[in-house]
Amino acid sequence: MAIVYQKSAGLTDKEMHYCPGCNHGIIHKLVAESLVELGLLDGAIGVCPVGCSVFAYNYFNCDMQEAAHGRAPAVATGIKRTHPTQAVFTYQGDGDLASIGAAEIVHAAMRGEKFTTIFINNAIYGMTGGQMAPTTLIGQRATTCQSGRTVEQAGMPIRVAEMLSTLDGCVYAERVCVTDIANINKAKRAIKKAFEKQMNREGFTFVEILSTCPTNWGMTPLKAVDWLKENMIPYYPLGVIKDTGAEVK
Amino acid sequence: MEKELWKGNEAIAEAAIRAGCDCFFGYPITPQSEVPEYMSAHLPKAGGVFVQSESEVAAINMVYGAAGSGKRAMTSSSSPGVSLKQEGITYLAGAEVPAVIINCMRGGPGLGTIQPSQGDYFQATRGGGNGDYRTLVLAPSNVQETVDFVQEAFDIADQYRNPVMVVCDGLIGQMMEPIEWHPVPKRKLPPKDWATSGKYGRDHTNVINSLYMAPEDCDQHNVHLDEKYAEIAKNETRWEEVDCDGAEIIITAYGTPARIALTALETLRSAGLKVGLFRPITLWPFPEKALHDLAGNPHVKAFLDVEMSSSGQMLDDVRLSVEGQKPISYLGHAGGVMPTVEEMVQSAKKALKEVK
Ligand SMILES: Cc1ncc(C[n+]2csc(CCOP(=O)(O)OP(=O)(O)O)c2C)c(N)n1
Ligand code: SF4
Ligand SMILES: [Mg+2]
């Protein structure tokens, strides 16, 4: 009998704690598979955030550091600068990266730090129970904007991939989602490309992944997928936002 | 050994390089900016990494990343910047990541002044960050000691897997003094087999983390940390006593005021007073027992605590150690005003008169 599918060697056997229908698990798998397929897993060092993926250190089969809320890009800077030949990545939510850690991500990108950031945009603070994130859409309800986010109160949501792509140090920024097989494959290609460019020492690489939070969106997993497609993708368009191409070294 | 003239802050940076500091992350702030400046010029030449961070918050987290992955890492700042580092320091302590942090103290609160101060004693010894943790705090009183302590701080940090702070005031950082380069102390250190340096065939992943979801686990982690802190207190408590034998009045002071006190001691002695100096060198662990025992001596009549702090911070530890055995008076200034020899002399005389 031929094995057609098995768990990636990049993941441990630990059972994941994510809610049913949450995309974090799929994204973990894609990151893990990418590291394995590129032969980077053994030397890889990951940094997990404070957010629902705080326990990612239990799931990735590589050395991991757990950062303070938002500080993963600074932690990864310390790791990558002292381990320049190894693959380093941060895995961060939108509250973590786009709110409390906005300074750290912008400056890591500005410096062209040679690590990869996997950015999970689920338009909500998942772990703390559904408060408004900087990425929460206008009209979207959250526990701290119960009638829906308004521009007057909170401004327009932040498009992080576009913002970071204005910085020369950021050589690659792509936005993907994992709602179906075709998009999952695209997401994996983006993640692999980001790691390849990192290992090429081209600069800072960034993959934004639109992700569901059925629990805090108050929807079934399937409804959440539809909501993401209908509401998030129009505001957060998918595709390559920046790809400078390999520099001559 | 030959003496060389060094500015305090530059000597701090050079001492760290000699002690094998692999990387430095820092942000400019007076009166410590010469540390990152010197590091930027010299650390890369020595094969190390220098990054000017976007903030002190980022700097301490870069330290956490680099030190967590097994490298010798340092950051330096002055008071307002050290306030910003507190988040990172509690994570270092919680995850047991060794690191060296320099605080070249200036006056506060708030933006305060760029002049020297000792207003961060509470922050350093009580922990400005959240949770039950301790940072070993070394307090040198001149440039020579600063250099020696910085060199040793890396080994202490590595031995206990704990952040070590060297606190000096802006005066020491800015002052030039002749120093000797002593051989870097070499302790027998455990291997960093816990570091996140890459799995490379290891049968388990290494994780740097301070999260314990189950209350029992978090409690147990704190018990473990407490045992470590007790071990540090047992092995590393340092202080100096000058002329305390037979002294009737004891001045307690650390850092620059302790140095000024040495001159006050001479003046008081020539005026016929029996005076001694008790100088804590580690602020945590505080030399509690030594001070307690000293206070128990019948010849000791009173204490005078002197600090560059408005109403006294170390004073709390002096009181806790003396435990009411003898009266304690206080002399201090904040905001860069130094306690003078004359003030110390007058205060010591007054304190002694009150008990006689
Ligand atoms: C300094 C600090 N502030 C606040 C928190 C509380 N907190 C934990 S997770 C979180 C939000 C995480 O949201 P996000 O980054 O979007 O991740 P998600 O859970 O949605 O994946 C917050 C505010 C914290 N742990 N530390
Ligand atoms: S709360 Fe949301 S983001 Fe967190 S695990 Fe559940 S579904 Fe996923
Ligand atoms: Mg989120």
Side-chain angles (χ1 to χ4, degrees):
Chain A
M1 225 172 12
I3 295 172
V4 290
Y5 181 84
Q6 61 183 355
K7 184 180 69 65
S8 169
L11 294 173
T12 64
D13 290 333
K14 191 103 180 172
E15 196 178 313
M16 289 186 188
H17 70 284
Y18 298 113
C19 306
C22 176
N23 285 168
H24 270 303
I26 299 174
I27 300 163
H28 280 22
K29 185 187 87 152
L30 298 182
V31 173
E33 285 177 353
S34 300
L35 288 170
V36 171
E37 287 165 26
L38 295 169
L40 298 172
L41 182 71
D42 232 17
I45 308 168
V47 184
C48 43
V50 175
C52 277
S53 49
V54 67
F55 296 120
Y57 53 75
N58 285 330
Y59 309 141
F60 285 112
N61 191 12
C62 62
D63 285 357
M64 297 288 292
Q65 290 200 29
E66 199 268 307
H69 197 20
R71 316 299 178 218
V75 175
T77 297
I79 297 171
K80 182 70 186 200
R81 290 281 184 129
T82 53
H83 297 77
T85 60
Q86 290 168 245
V88 175
F89 67 96
T90 73
Y91 186 105
Q92 300 179 256
D94 42 1
D96 192 79
L97 182 144
S99 188
I100 195 166
E104 283 77 14
I105 194 68
V106 166
H107 285 267
M110 181 203 79
R111 290 189 302 265
E113 295 294 344
K114 287 150 193 77
F115 63 79
T116 298
T117 289
I118 308 296
F119 172 48
I120 312 306
N121 179 356
N122 58 9
I124 201 95
Y125 281 33
M127 188 189 216
T128 39
Q131 296 82 10
M132 182 182 69
T135 43
T136 296
L137 295 173
I138 297 302
Q140 182 188 341
R141 287 170 207 260
T143 59
T144 48
C145 55
Q146 297 187 8
S147 312
R149 176 175 177 159
T150 63
V151 182
E152 297 71 34
Q153 175 74 9
M156 291 294 284
I158 187 167
R159 294 187 184 96
V160 180
E162 285 83 347
M163 179 182 74
L164 295 180
S165 68
T166 65
L167 298 165
D168 289 347
C170 174
V171 295
Y172 180 67
E174 180 163 355
R175 187 181 289 115
V176 295
C177 68
V178 291
T179 48
D180 49 70
I181 306 289
N183 277 304
I184 289 173
N185 288 337
K186 271 189 204 161
K188 183 160 165 191
R189 275 199 294 278
I191 293 168
K192 279 179 96 166
K193 184 155 188 192
F195 277 115
E196 278 167 352
K197 291 172 86 69
Q198 174 192 159
M199 298 318 285
N200 244 353
R201 299 197 58 76
E202 290 174 40
F204 176 73
T205 48
F206 185 81
V207 181
E208 175 170 340
I209 305 175
L210 304 182
S211 184
T212 52
C213 178
T215 302
N216 287 300
W217 292 355
M219 296 171 198
T220 62
L222 284 178
K223 220 68 222 162
V225 170
D226 291 339
W227 189 87
L228 185 153
K229 286 185 187 158
E230 283 158 27
N231 297 279
M232 288 185 78
I233 295 177
Y235 190 80
Y236 299 115
L238 303 180
V240 176
I241 289 147
K242 185 173 186 185
D243 182 358
T244 59
E247 277 168 32
V248 186
K249 282 267 144 34
Chain B
M1 217 177 277
E2 233 174 75
K3 294 228 179 212
E4 294 176 12
L5 197 60
W6 279 83
K7 185 176 193 169
N9 282 335
E10 293 184 345
I12 286 172
E14 176 63 25
I17 295 173
R18 289 179 189 226
C21 174
D22 295 305
C23 47
F24 178 91
F25 308 97
Y27 188 84
I29 182 170
T30 309
Q32 68 80 51
S33 293
E34 294 85 357
V35 182
E37 283 167 0
Y38 189 95
M39 281 299 198
S40 72
H42 294 90
L43 186 55
K45 279 193 240 160
V49 165
F50 168 85
V51 178
Q52 178 170 328
S53 62
E54 60 271 32
S55 68
E56 290 85 351
V57 175
I60 193 75
N61 281 284
M62 290 176 188
V63 164
Y64 175 88
S69 57
K71 301 293 178 177
R72 285 197 150 177
M74 178 167 117
T75 183
S76 73
S77 190
S78 178
S79 311
V82 178
S83 294
L84 282 183
K85 290 188 197 292
Q86 295 305 320
E87 175 194 68
I89 294 171
T90 169
Y91 273 75
L92 288 166
E96 297 191 85
V97 175
V100 176
I101 301 139
I102 310 290
N103 184 1
C104 193
M105 291 185 278
R106 62 187 245 183
L111 203 48
T113 168
I114 59 170
Q115 301 302 324
S117 158
Q118 294 181 322
D120 303 346
Y121 182 95
F122 285 155
Q123 190 191 56
T125 60
R126 270 56 178 169
N130 61 297
D132 296 306
Y133 74 94
R134 293 292 188 179
T135 309
L136 191 140
V137 185
L138 288 161
S141 72
N142 55 40
V143 178
Q144 179 68 62
E145 259 191 356
T146 307
V147 161
D148 293 342
F149 289 174
V150 168
Q151 292 196 150
E152 200 180 349
F154 287 92
D155 267 21
I156 301 175
D158 281 350
Q159 180 174 339
Y160 298 101
R161 288 186 59 181
N162 207 66
V164 172
M165 259 192 159
V166 181
V167 298
C168 54
D169 54 68
L171 189 84
I172 294 173
Q174 292 300 319
M175 182 168 51
M176 283 190 94
E177 277 198 296
I179 58 158
E180 283 176 7
W181 287 105
H182 298 141
V184 179
K186 289 248 181 294
R187 296 185 179 205
K188 207 171 164 310
L189 296 172
K192 294 188 176 180
D193 51 10
W194 44 265
T196 56
S197 51
K199 195 179 165 197
Y200 293 122
R202 213 193 294 120
D203 66 0
H204 60 279
T205 61
N206 278 348
V207 172
I208 297 294
N209 175 34
S210 57
L211 177 64
Y212 296 87
M213 285 301 277
E216 299 75 22
D217 292 348
C218 195
D219 183 39
Q220 215 34 56
H221 178 55
N222 275 281
V223 169
H224 158 70
L225 290 178
D226 272 346
E227 285 166 3
K228 182 172 84 172
Y229 300 147
E231 184 73 11
I232 295 175
K234 194 175 96 207
N235 300 339
E236 307 294 342
T237 308
R238 293 186 207 181
W239 71 95
E240 185 191 23
E241 293 181 25
V242 181
D243 294 342
C244 287
D245 277 353
E248 294 187 332
I249 172 111
I250 306 281
I251 296 179
T252 53
Y254 72 97
T256 294
R259 189 175 182 166
I260 300 172
L262 290 176
T263 312
L265 248 55
E266 282 172 26
T267 314
L268 286 163
R269 241 184 270 123
S270 51
L273 270 76
K274 289 183 185 154
V275 57
L277 170 70
F278 184 93
R279 175 171 78 97
I281 294 173
T282 49
L283 303 184
W284 190 87
F286 190 79
E288 197 177 326
K289 183 168 184 313
L291 187 56
H292 179 87
D293 293 350
L294 181 61
N297 276 309
H299 62 78
V300 174
K301 307 284 183 237
F303 287 88
L304 169 65
D305 182 51
V306 185
E307 299 174 47
M308 282 149 62
S309 152
S310 61
S311 54
Q313 297 194 10
M314 184 176 79
L315 182 58
D316 280 13
D317 281 332
V318 173
R319 284 185 180 135
L320 285 167
S321 306
V322 170
E323 282 194 304
Q325 298 177 89
K326 302 290 155 65
I328 304 162
S329 46
Y330 179 72
L331 165 67
H333 296 291
V337 179
M338 303 270 168
T340 64
V341 171
E342 187 49 31
E343 282 177 319
M344 287 190 198
V345 168
Q346 291 315 322
S347 302
K349 283 181 176 169
K350 184 162 168 273
L352 206 48
K353 210 158 145 200
E354 277 164 11
V355 290
K356 278 201 166 165

